[in-house]
Amino acid sequence: MPKRFRLTRRFNAAMTEDGYRRLRKFSQEAGLDEGEALSFLFENFDSVINEDTFEHRLRIFNTDLEARKK
């Protein structure tokens, strides 16, 4: 029997404009709302990311993020 899909947690999240545009595009392509799309991405995080480039991309993002805050 399939597990019932319930959204049990709600939280405020700050996102960059680029990140939000990409989330909206992904959710529309997948036929999900933004909350469902985020749930999908995090529930399947290990199979969604590319482990070879993840740490490098994270370092670049963190560097860019600090520059954007100034």
Side-chain angles (χ1 to χ4, degrees), residues 4-39:
R4 185 169 172 223
F5 187 76
R6 296 183 326 155
L7 297 176
T8 60
R9 302 284 188 263
R10 297 194 181 276
F11 64 97
N12 291 328
M15 296 185 74
T16 63
E17 283 295 321
D18 290 342
Y20 186 65
R21 274 195 296 272
R22 187 61 187 104
L23 173 62
R24 287 184 54 201
K25 181 180 177 186
F26 168 69
S27 65
Q28 289 172 351
E29 289 172 354
L32 304 169
D33 67 30
E34 286 92 354
E36 294 165 341
L38 282 173
S39 290

Side-chain angles (χ1 to χ4, degrees), residues 22-68:
R22 187 61 187 104
L23 173 62
R24 287 184 54 201
K25 181 180 177 186
F26 168 69
S27 65
Q28 289 172 351
E29 289 172 354
L32 304 169
D33 67 30
E34 286 92 354
E36 294 165 341
L38 282 173
S39 290
F40 169 80
L41 290 171
F42 283 107
E43 286 180 15
N44 298 286
F45 187 76
D46 292 335
S47 60
V48 172
I49 66 165
N50 181 334
E51 292 179 11
D52 296 333
T53 60
F54 178 72
E55 287 184 30
H56 177 69
R57 291 279 191 186
L58 183 58
R59 266 193 308 278
I60 291 171
F61 181 80
N62 281 332
T63 301
D64 290 346
L65 190 59
E66 287 303 315
R68 290 184 202 178

